[in-house]
Amino acid sequence: MNKKPEGHITPYTQPAAGWGALKQVAINLVRERVAGGNYKTLLKQNQPDGFDCPGCAWPDREHASTFEFCENGVKAVAAEATSKRVYPEFFARHTVTELLQQSDYELEQHGRLTDPMVYDAVSDKYKIIGWDDAFALIARHLNALPDPNQATFYTSGRTGNEAAFLFQLMVRMYGTNNFPDCSNMCHEPTSRGLPGTVGIGKGTVTLEDFEHADTLLIFGQNPATNHPRMMGELRDCARRGATIVSINPLRERGLERFTSPAHALEMLTGSSTTISTVFIQPRLAGDFALIKAIAKRLVERDDAALAAGAASLLDREFIARHTSGYEAFEQDLRAESWDLLLAESGVPRAQIEQLTDIYIKGKNVISTWGMGLTQHKNALKAVQMLSNLMMMRGQIGRLGAGLCPVRGHSNVQGDRTMGIEEKPTKAFLDRLQKVFNFEPPREHGLDTVDSIQAMLDGDVKVFIAMGGNFAMATPDTPLTFEALRKCELTVHVATKLNRSHLVMGKEALILPTLGRTEVDLQNGVAQGVTVEDSMSMVHISYGINKPASANLLSETAIVARLAHATLGSDKVDWLGLGADYARIRELIEQVFDDFHDFNARVAHQGGFHLRVASREREWRTASGRAQFVPHIVDTDTPIHRARALHGERLMVLMTARSHDQYNTTIYGMDDRYRGVYGLRRVVFINKDDLAMLDLKNGEYVDMVSVWDDNVTRRAQRFLLVEYDIPRGCLGAYFPETNGLVPLHSTADGAGTPTSKSIPVLLERSAHEG
C-alpha cells in the first residue's frame, strides 16, 4: 500500500472518536515518552480521588466511572507526564534567536521545564537562577515602579482557586486591578452579557438537566475537539430521542456521528450514534441576527395561535412574574426587517421556520454555546438575545432547561470567581477590605487588549503571567510582540517552553511549576487544589505523579513567595498560606459567602455546587427581575464598511483550533476530522467562492485583513482547501492567523478580540514554501 505524503488533505469519513481516538491516545503516550508506570494516571483523571483534567472545563459526573478521560484530555496529561526535559543545559546550547526559528509544535515537544531561568542579554541565552534571587528580581522591579498600575498580571485558566485567590490578593495589596486573563479573550461577552439579563454571568444548568432535556441548541461549538467529554452527554440525549441542532458555519464531524470509546458495543460493532439531526450554517457574525429572527418568528407564530383561539406559545406567566421589559422587546422585534435579518444571518427563511418550530415543540430546551458565539463585535448582543429567546418560553430556571455557556480552560470560571477580574464589584472590594484590613484599589484595571496597548504606550513596564502563552493567544501578533519587548521585565510561570518565553522584556524570567498531575508536597503533606467547572461545581484535585524536577514549585507556592518578597508578611502570612492550602480556603470562605465550610464541603466526594441564583429564578438585577434587552442589527460595522469597498471579494475569516491542539498548545500537525494531515497553514473556503475569485483548490494564497486603520496585516502562504462553509466565509487555525486580528477589533461591551469575524482579502501567494 502506498504511503500518503506527509502533508495532505484526505476527507475523513469515519465517526468522531472510536478506534481513531484510542489510536491517538497510544500515539501521544509514545510521542511524549510517558513512562509505563504513569499510564495509571489516566485512570485517576477526573476521579474523586484523583486529579482534575488540566484541559477543558466540562464537568464530571457525580459518580465517575473508570473511563473519565478523552483523547484531548490524554494529550494534556501526556504533555505533563512526558519524560522529556528542558534542563538548563538546553538553554546553554541555544540562543533565544535560534529558538525563535522553531515552530510552536517544536517548542512544545522539548518537554518539561526543570529550573527557574533568567535571560542574559549579552549571550542572548537563558541561564539558571535561584528561586530566592528570582523573587528578589521581581520584587525589585515592582517596588521601583512609581505607580502600581505600571504592572499588569495575567492569569490563564489552568490556575487553581488557591493560587488565583492569593494572586488577586497580592496584586490588590500591591495596588492595582490590572488583571488581564483568558476570559477576556473567550467568554467575556457571556460574563458581561448575562448579568444584564439574568443577573449573573454563569450558566444555569447542571449535568442533571441534560438527562431531562428534549431539545438542545448548540451554537458555535466543536465539542468533539474542544471538550470531548461533552460528547458522552450528547450521545445519551440523542439515544433517548432528544432533538439536537448544530448552529455553526462548519458542519463539525463530532456533531454528525460519534462512536463512544466508553461503550464496548459501539466499539466492537463499529457502529455510531447520530448526534445532530439538524444543521444550520449561519454566515460568520450572523448568529445575532439568526437568534433575533427566531424570536421575531416566535412572536408572529404566537399572534397566529392566539388569533386561532389556541394557547399562547409564550410562557406568559413566567414573563409576567419573573421579567421586565418584554413590551419594549416585542415592539423592537415587530419593527425589525425580515430582509435585514435574512441578509445578516445568511440563513434561508425556511430554515428559520424549521428552527422556530423545533424551539416551540421543545418542552425542555438547553441552549449551549462556545466561542463561535462570543468572538464577534456583536457577541454580547448575541448572548443577550439568546437569553431573551429562552425567557420568552420560560426556558430558564427549571429542570431540563437553561443556558449553558461551555468554558474553555479547566478553571477559567473559577479564576473569575476568585477575583481575577479587572472590573471588581464594590461589594467584593469591601469584603476584601474587611477581611484583610487594607484599602484595595477601586478604579477598574486593564484587560488583555488594554494591557497590550499600555505596554506599547510605555504605561505598563512589568508583565507577569500565571501560565498561558500570552504572545500567541492574543491578537495582532507583531504588535503584541512589540508590546512585550518594550517592558522592563516579563515573567512567565509555566510547565513547558512556549513562544512567549522568547518574546521578552529587557529582563525576563521563566519560572517552572508543577503540573495538575503531580504530587504537591508542602512540609511533607500532599496538597490539593480546587477548581470550578463550567457548571459551577467545585471539587478538589490531587496529583499522583512524581514531579518532573525537584526544583519545581507549585503555582500557589510561587505566588506566596513572590508576595512575601514584594510586600512582606506583616499583614498576611504568605509563606504560611503557601505551605497549607486549607488555610487559603478558610480565607476564601471569609470573602465569599457561597464558599462557607469550604474545606469540609470540598472533602465530600465530587465536591459541591455553587449556588447560581438564576437557576432558582432569583434575579440579581437592578429590577430584581430577569430583563429583556432589545438590540438593533448594526449595519455599520468594520465588515460592512470593508464589503462596501471591496464587494463580494471581501471574505470573513474565523480562527479555530485543529484537533491536535488545545488553545495555543500544538500537540501534533493533524486535524483529522476536517481531513487535514501534516499541515496547519490551510484556509477552508466554499467552492463557489473559489470560482468567483478565480482561484483553485490546492493553490496557495496570502490573507490580508481589511481594517479602518489602513495597517497592512498579512498571513502568508496558506493552502486553499475546498470545504462546506457558507459563501463569503473562511476558516483557518490560530495562532497562525492571530496577526490578522486588529488589536482594537473587539466585542462591544466586552473587549474580546473578534477572532471569528475578520474581514480579509485573498491574494495569490508569491512566497515559496
Side-chain angles (χ1 to χ4, degrees):
M1 186 171 68
N2 293 329
K3 185 178 180 181
K4 286 187 170 57
E6 193 167 314
H8 59 94
I9 307 297
T10 304
Y12 186 82
T13 60
Q14 302 302 310
W19 290 109
L22 292 186
K23 177 182 176 181
Q24 289 302 312
V25 165
I27 287 173
N28 276 273
L29 292 173
V30 173
R31 177 189 292 156
E32 292 288 358
R33 302 177 196 165
V34 176
N38 281 346
Y39 286 8
K40 68 180 185 298
T41 303
L42 300 180
L43 298 180
K44 291 292 186 180
Q45 190 172 343
N46 302 311
Q47 298 296 321
D49 60 344
F51 65 93
D52 195 73
C53 178
C56 80
W58 188 254
D60 306 328
R61 274 285 165 196
E62 183 177 353
H63 300 294
S65 73
T66 57
F67 196 89
E68 287 295 328
F69 57 88
C70 63
E71 176 189 341
N72 280 3
V74 170
K75 292 173 185 175
V77 170
E80 281 193 7
T82 179
S83 62
K84 294 184 282 186
R85 299 288 182 265
V86 180
Y87 293 112
E89 292 78 13
F90 171 88
F91 290 107
R93 294 193 303 268
H94 300 285
T95 65
V96 166
T97 302
E98 291 169 354
L99 290 172
L100 275 169
Q101 304 309 308
Q102 298 188 10
S103 69
D104 295 284
Y105 172 68
E106 289 171 321
L107 293 174
E108 165 74 18
Q109 288 303 305
H110 289 305
R112 290 289 301 276
L113 297 160
T114 62
D115 296 270
M117 307 298 293
V118 62
Y119 179 63
D120 175 60
V122 174
S123 64
D124 190 31
K125 294 180 178 180
Y126 273 100
K127 297 183 176 180
I128 193 167
I129 185 174
W131 279 107
D132 287 342
D133 291 337
F135 294 130
L137 174 62
I138 302 170
R140 186 163 63 250
H141 274 274
L142 290 176
N143 289 326
L145 295 177
D147 181 351
N149 292 311
Q150 291 182 340
T152 196
F153 301 84
Y154 177 75
T155 313
S156 83
R158 75 176 299 278
T159 307
N161 287 331
E162 292 75 14
F165 181 80
L166 280 196
F167 197 46
Q168 66 81 27
L169 180 61
M170 179 201 82
V171 172
R172 290 194 165 99
M173 283 189 160
Y174 173 68
T176 184
N177 284 314
N178 288 349
F179 282 111
D181 73 331
C182 55
S183 287
N184 296 152
M185 292 183 284
C186 56
H187 261 286
E188 201 70 286
T190 299
S191 300
R192 304 298 182 213
L194 290 184
T197 57
V198 298
I200 187 170
K202 297 183 180 183
T204 67
V205 304
T206 68
L207 285 182
E208 182 185 8
D209 290 304
F210 279 77
E211 298 173 5
H212 299 273
D214 58 47
T215 305
L216 290 97
L217 307 178
I218 304 177
F219 290 87
Q221 283 182 266
N222 179 17
T225 288
N226 298 331
H227 25 267
R229 286 189 299 132
M230 182 181 180
M231 294 303 304
E233 300 298 330
L234 296 180
R235 175 189 180 275
D236 291 346
C237 290
R239 291 178 76 86
R240 43 178 190 76
T243 299
I244 301 177
V245 182
S246 172
I247 303 164
N248 196 50
L250 301 178
R251 280 180 65 119
E252 301 290 12
R253 174 48 50 94
L255 290 173
E256 293 179 323
R257 291 184 292 135
F258 174 69
T259 296
S260 172
H263 290 81
L265 185 61
E266 281 192 353
M267 295 292 285
L268 291 173
T269 62
S271 60
S272 61
T273 299
T274 298
I275 302 300
S276 294
T277 53
V278 178
F279 287 84
I280 307 294
Q281 294 176 271
R283 70 194 304 180
L284 288 167
D287 302 272
F288 167 68
L290 172 61
I291 298 166
K292 188 170 186 179
I294 300 169
K296 178 178 175 66
R297 188 61 187 133
L298 178 57
V299 167
E300 294 173 350
R301 293 276 296 273
D302 185 62
D303 288 344
L306 293 176
S312 175
L313 300 177
L314 307 182
D315 189 335
R316 295 191 177 274
E317 180 182 357
F318 175 86
I319 292 171
R321 183 177 177 185
H322 289 283
T323 75
S324 63
Y326 177 73
E327 292 77 11
F329 171 68
E330 182 183 292
Q331 184 178 1
D332 176 71
L333 290 178
R334 293 184 184 281
E336 191 61 87
S337 160
W338 266 114
D339 288 343
L340 180 62
L341 292 174
L342 294 173
E344 290 298 311
S345 69
V347 177
R349 179 68 179 262
Q351 290 188 352
I352 292 173
E353 294 283 355
Q354 181 186 23
L355 259 178
T356 307
D357 189 54
I358 288 170
Y359 182 56
I360 290 171
K361 289 180 180 177
K363 292 182 171 54
N364 298 318
V365 182
I366 292 176
S367 284
T368 175
W369 67 95
M371 287 186 286
L373 199 67
T374 62
Q375 291 184 322
H376 301 280
K377 186 177 188 296
N378 61 9
L380 186 148
K381 294 197 298 185
V383 169
Q384 291 192 331
M385 190 58 63
L386 184 55
S387 184
N388 291 335
L389 177 65
M390 293 288 279
M391 289 190 294
M392 293 173 78
R393 286 180 50 79
Q395 295 286 357
I396 299 176
R398 59 186 179 80
L399 186 64
L403 301 167
C404 181
V406 180
R407 310 278 177 169
H409 223 148
S410 62
N411 198 41
V412 61
Q413 184 161 302
D415 288 348
R416 184 55 62 89
T417 299
M418 289 295 103
I420 302 297
E421 162 69 273
E422 78 276 5
K423 296 177 180 177
T425 65
K426 180 180 182 298
F428 169 64
L429 295 178
D430 288 346
R431 185 66 72 91
L432 278 185
Q433 181 183 36
K434 179 180 179 181
V435 173
F436 293 101
N437 191 30
F438 80 107
E439 178 55 52
R442 298 282 172 169
E443 65 182 61
H444 288 170
L446 302 175
D447 65 9
T448 296
V449 167
D450 290 338
S451 290
I452 295 170
Q453 186 62 58
M455 287 186 267
L456 285 167
D457 295 340
D459 295 331
V460 162
K461 300 180 183 298
V462 175
F463 172 83
I464 299 176
M466 290 294 296
N469 186 359
F470 187 85
M472 298 310 294
T474 44
D476 226 335
T477 308
L479 209 59
T480 297
F481 280 21
E482 180 185 347
L484 289 166
R485 286 169 172 151
K486 283 191 171 186
C487 290
E488 295 297 322
L489 174 69
T490 52
V491 181
H492 293 275
V493 177
T495 57
K496 300 183 84 173
L497 186 65
N498 65 50
R499 196 164 303 279
S500 291
H501 309 151
L502 311 175
V503 183
M504 72 284 286
K506 295 180 179 65
E507 293 191 86
L509 288 164
I510 304 173
L511 304 182
T513 187
L514 292 172
R516 187 80 57 79
T517 63
E518 292 170 318
V519 176
D520 180 0
L521 289 178
Q522 302 294 336
N523 294 330
V525 179
Q527 303 294 316
V529 297
T530 59
V531 296
E532 177 187 348
D533 62 35
S534 276
M535 296 182 187
S536 304
M537 181 66 71
V538 178
H539 46 275
I540 198 161
S541 174
Y542 289 90
I544 64 172
N545 288 343
K546 180 182 177 181
S549 165
N551 207 17
L552 300 182
L553 293 180
S554 70
E555 289 176 313
T556 308
I558 288 172
V559 175
R561 289 180 63 173
L562 174 57
H564 174 75
T566 305
L567 304 176
S569 293
D570 292 342
K571 288 190 174 182
V572 175
D573 179 13
W574 299 107
L575 298 182
L577 294 173
D580 184 356
Y581 302 173
R583 290 182 57 191
I584 303 173
R585 291 189 282 272
E586 289 171 356
L587 293 176
I588 290 171
E589 70 179 45
Q590 291 182 47
V591 174
F592 302 105
D593 292 338
D594 287 346
F595 285 83
H596 62 87
D597 302 317
F598 194 174
N599 282 307
R601 292 163 73 204
V602 83
H604 293 161
Q605 182 170 310
F608 62 94
H609 191 269
L610 290 175
R611 180 173 182 266
V612 178
S614 50
R615 175 175 170 79
E616 300 175 19
R617 294 189 169 179
E618 176 189 324
W619 317 105
R620 295 179 178 175
T621 60
S623 66
R625 289 169 167 255
Q627 184 69 44
F628 281 94
V629 182
H631 288 293
I632 64 168
V633 178
D634 187 1
T635 57
D636 183 22
T637 69
I639 292 176
H640 289 91
R641 294 191 291 272
R643 189 168 285 127
L645 287 173
H646 299 284
E648 65 177 356
R649 299 185 69 83
L650 193 283
M651 300 282 112
V652 180
L653 171 71
M654 63 175 283
T655 70
R657 298 172 182 168
S658 77
H659 191 67
D660 264 353
Q661 77 178 94
Y662 189 76
N663 293 341
T664 57
T665 301
I666 311 299
Y667 296 126
M669 299 299 290
D670 296 345
D671 189 9
R672 71 177 186 277
Y673 295 159
R674 298 188 183 114
V676 180
Y677 298 87
L679 301 168
R680 286 192 58 81
R681 299 184 77 82
V682 300
V683 56
F684 302 110
I685 185 171
N686 185 287
K687 65 178 181 179
D688 293 331
D689 286 326
L690 282 172
M692 180 267 294
L693 294 168
D694 192 28
L695 294 168
K696 292 183 175 59
N697 185 45
E699 277 193 271
Y700 284 90
V701 295
D702 295 349
M703 289 182 280
V704 183
S705 70
V706 182
W707 187 246
D708 296 340
D709 60 9
N710 296 317
V711 173
T712 299
R713 298 175 176 86
R714 180 182 294 269
Q716 297 176 343
R717 196 168 172 78
F718 280 70
L719 180 71
L720 286 169
V721 177
E722 183 182 305
Y723 208 77
D724 183 3
I725 188 172
R727 288 216 56 188
C729 300
L730 305 172
Y733 304 130
F734 73 85
E736 289 85 350
T737 49
N738 283 1
L740 294 172
V741 186
L743 181 63
H744 294 290
S745 178
T746 58
D748 295 340
T752 301
T754 59
S755 301
K756 297 291 188 290
S757 51
I758 313 162
V760 300
L761 297 172
L762 297 183
E763 300 178 358
R764 277 192 176 86
S765 181
H767 304 276
E768 296 297 325

